[in-house]
Amino acid sequence: MSAKSRLALGIETSCDETAAAVVLDGKQILSNVIASQIDLHQIFGGVVPEIAARKHIETIFPVIDQALSKAKVTLDEIEIIAVTYGPGLIGGLLVGLQAAKSIAFALNKPVVGVNHIEGHIYANVLAHADLKPPLICLTVSGGHTDLLYIPEFGDYEILGRTRDDAAGEAFDKIARVLGLPYPGGPEIDRLAKDGNRSAIEFPRGLASEDTFDFSFSGLKTAALNYINHHKQLGDKIDIPDFAASFQWAIVDVLLLKTIRAAELKGVKQIILSGGVAANSELRHQMKDAAEPLGIEVFFPPPILCTDNAAMIASAGYFRYTAGKIDDWDLEALPNLQLTGSRK
Ligand code: KG4
Ligand code: ZN
């Protein structure tokens, strides 16, 4: 390891994954441990915050130990402790923050608070080490759908965001009504592969309006009406056709607005981030639509799209090297916004 190499320990507990990772110089993953709680929440059809927080308490230190041992480093060798401080579920955020602060305090190391959404963006830096702004970033997760212009890392202009449900939330809600397991996004993605995306005409929220905002509530209502109507008539729903048409209604509008944003800003690179960026149709169609226009599309491998701590370690490293260190009073902020991030 060179004299300037810096190791960051990342900690992520904002939702239902207890995760810790060790990253070298913000770009090289030495370990990336993710303890998913999905099986605990699946019977409830979604994340139960109280159960999530209790499980984070049980799991956080074993997960950190595992991240260190997989990376073959000791806590003493870690230079930066990076932790998600929002947005997310308050109980989980508190567990991660307390763990991070305790380690940092005991070992006299700096703690760096990371905005979870900024973390998702840095998953692209881990996957594509030479990536350089300006970028258009589509962040699509269970809680967020944001279209961002990034003139340089750390500077985010929000061009648009959802006015109601997030894209991932729409996937999860409709999957639940269909009786599919939580989280529904990957299930719909899988089923859609055998379906015809033109089988059912679903609405494209705000597609023809002059805004970069998104809306998925009309689509959700149309999908629910379709399911209920078929149930009342006793008709069987063709699930692959339904999944493909529903997914395409989301992806189509995401494509349209993201490419329009790149053209407006004259930006030649698009990055996708967040759990829904793992969607195979979104990845494939975004490339197909952008590349003929001379616009490159980047996305992380699926394991770095969904929640993980490597992305938090990376974002924390770059905050630290820009001189941004937090105090012991760093608080959990469940509703933290990207523009609200300290610059
Ligand atoms: O980023 P993430 O792991 O957690 C949040 O910060 O919300 O995103 C989780 C969301 C869930 O809504 C899940 O259904 C969705 O990402 N998701 C997908 C896929 N994989 C995960 N949605 C569509 N297609 C996928 N392949
Ligand atoms: Zn996330």
Side-chain angles (χ1 to χ4, degrees), residues 29-30 44 51 76 79 83 89 98 111 129 162 166 196 223 230 233 246 291-292 309 313 330 336:
I29 300 175
L30 302 189
F44 301 102
I51 295 176
D76 278 339
E79 185 165 339
V83 60
L89 300 171
Q98 283 313 323
V111 65
T162 182
N196 169 10
H230 277 70
L233 294 177
F246 178 76
E291 282 173 359
L330 177 68
L336 181 67

Side-chain angles (χ1 to χ4, degrees), residues 17 116 120 141-143 168-169 171-172 183-186 189 274-276 278-280 305-307:
E17 261 95 30
H116 180 82
H120 275 301
S141 71
E169 203 176 350
F171 272 111
D172 294 343
D189 190 354
V276 181
N279 184 268
S280 54
C305 286
T306 46
D307 289 350

